[in-house]
Amino acid sequence: MIEITFKDGSTRQYDEGVTPEEIAGDIASGLKKKSVGAYVNGELFDLNRPIEEDAALHLITKDDEEALEILNHSSAHLLAHAIKRLYPDARFGVGPAIEGGFYYDIATSESITEEDLPKIENEMRRIVKEAHPVKREVLSKPEALERFKDDPYKLEMLEDFDDSEVITVYTQGEFEDLCRGGHLPNTSRIRHFKLLSVAGAYWRGDSSREMLQRVYGTSWYTKEDLDQYLEMLKERKERDHRKLGKELGIFMLDEKAGQGLPIWLPKGYTVRRVLEDYVYELERRSGYKHLSTPVLGTRQLYEISGHFKHYRDDMFPLMELDDEAYVLRPMSCPHHAIVYSSALRSYRELPIRYAEIVTQHRYEASGALSGLERVRAMTLTDAHIFARKDQIKEEVLSAYRLIQKAIDDLGLEIDYLELALRDEGTGKFHDDDELWNEAEKVMKELLDEAGIEYKEMKGEAAFYGPKIDVQVKTALAHVITMSTVQLDFLLPERFELTYIGKDGRKHRPVLIHRGLLSTWERLMSILLEQYKGAFPTWLAPIQIEIIPVSDVHHDYARDLNRKLIEKGLRSEIDDREEKLGYRIRAAQTQKIPYQLVIGDQEVENDTVTYRRYGEKEQTTLSVDAFIEHIHDEVRRKK
Ligand code: TSB
Ligand code: ZN
């Protein structure tokens, strides 16, 4: 007999070799159905794995967090099982559970496309119906090497094991796979699943190795959960900024123009110009001075700054001329440091805040590029603040407050802050320990003193210092780095920046880097997702669409359009020879905030009747009242 201790401290006696599933059934038959796995003395156990000694038992039920992982992991095996039947020469890489589902990497002589997915799903359903028990088997490394001697992928994976390590193999029906587990005890317990897509994936994530085919799927315990998840994926697709950006004429990418080098189309550029005005004005009021510096810098400039040593992988290659060498700048800090050092500075002048909307280039890996979210040519709402040490806390905090305001004005939400620190010994960071310790300490102190919460992230700092990265969450629960405030003691050293202190002697200023609203590229990707393309009126590329009902209303409509444009509004007229309904729908698909249909009534009474995007209700106003109404809305940014 063995003694099983439960979570609540109670105990029961069982025969040796009892399984968690039997124990669950012994407690309550409902519990047996709900259980999907167990922790036995803290180790993850399959429900049907015998317990051989006294143990603390904790059953995992469908409601627990790990439950989905177990299900999706088993679903990955189910997928591989089906693939093996349909593609007998298939070999398998890895097949883990991931957030929201699972995948399996597959090597076959035939290529698998999305059209094949229903066929594979059907085979999976057949295996579910066949109700194969899932059995775990323990092998030594030599046994495993023998068992999988014909499978080069498995052999390579086995190399990672120590000779003494225990290796487990799972078998269901005729299919077996090397796997750590845990798994559901029977294929019949997988019910509500769907295969989603196929992609290429390098073996071991190494681009010099062969490309395998990765099939993605998702699996849930109830049909409702599955449907809800699929609905969410659909919604995500609808909101994908690449799709919206194309439909709304915001930006384009073209292979001939270059990867990660987006082109802003008229509507996108209009939004960008509005944002630019907004940022200039906000900074002007907050004591920033604007300047403009070139996209090219000498090699020397970036050698002094340390970018050449620590940041070269992220830079485009050197351009060598007769006796000069230039780089496309990845950042503007060195230029701003030069401006600072071009004059004698006194303690009374500090802080000096230089802001610039900076176009810069970074050599991002092609696999990392994604629409506007991660690009190679970008324009950053940048600033560099040169301050005395006694001003650090105040300057970092007020930069952060400005970020908060800007994010709020855009209708976005801060999710959390990351305090990015260095990781010693990686070579990614400058190596003056004293400067690092001081900078990291000040950053922690100022956040703690202000009662601002943050997560520490080791290894994510800039090479020149720690940074506060502001993570923003969009309406789709997509979290991404937007704004940043960075404390830098290094560049002032390297550029030998000084100011004359009260004591008449030279002192070193500090440099605070600040990114306000990320780059226009990333910001646009976030805004598109947040608003699903329906920009608030102050940002909308076209604010008003005027639609005359018929020819007799054209003159009035054109006069009105001219007047609205005169008043600084972005108005457009659709007097194409198309049916009224067609033109109304066109304005709707462009998500234009105000739609003005002009008919007899409007012409007669000198009024407009508008409908807001997404609303049914119509409102009639005098032309002047309408103009005031929109101006007010633009001012309030709502
Ligand atoms: C803030 N020198 C500082 C600057 O003074 C700097 O460049 N910091 S950064 O490297 O963190 O970049 C600033 C911001 O640019 C990031 O917070 C991020 O929002 C945005 N960004 C960085 N790389 C990309 C990219 N490849 N595509 C789009 N936006 C990017
Ligand atoms: Zn900078």
Side-chain angles (χ1 to χ4, degrees), residues 307 330-334 336 360 362 380 382-384 464 486 488 491 511-515:
H307 282 84
M331 296 187 191
S332 68
C333 348
H336 291 192
Q360 58 192 27
R362 294 184 184 175
L380 177 65
D382 205 358
H384 293 97
Y464 45 73
Q486 314 173 344
D488 178 359
L491 265 57
L511 173 52
I512 297 163
H513 307 242
R514 185 232 58 189

Side-chain angles (χ1 to χ4, degrees), residues 429-471:
F429 309 100
H430 81 77
D431 54 8
D432 188 325
D433 289 341
E434 214 170 297
L435 294 188
W436 272 108
N437 293 343
E438 189 181 349
E440 292 187 348
K441 181 163 161 269
V442 184
M443 288 291 246
K444 282 185 205 171
E445 266 174 21
L446 72 93
L447 287 169
D448 291 340
E449 284 163 13
I452 300 170
E453 286 184 27
Y454 56 91
K455 292 185 196 165
E456 287 185 16
M457 289 291 283
K458 226 174 140 99
E460 296 293 314
F463 75 83
Y464 45 73
K467 52 182 190 171
I468 300 170
D469 274 347
V470 179
Q471 308 295 116

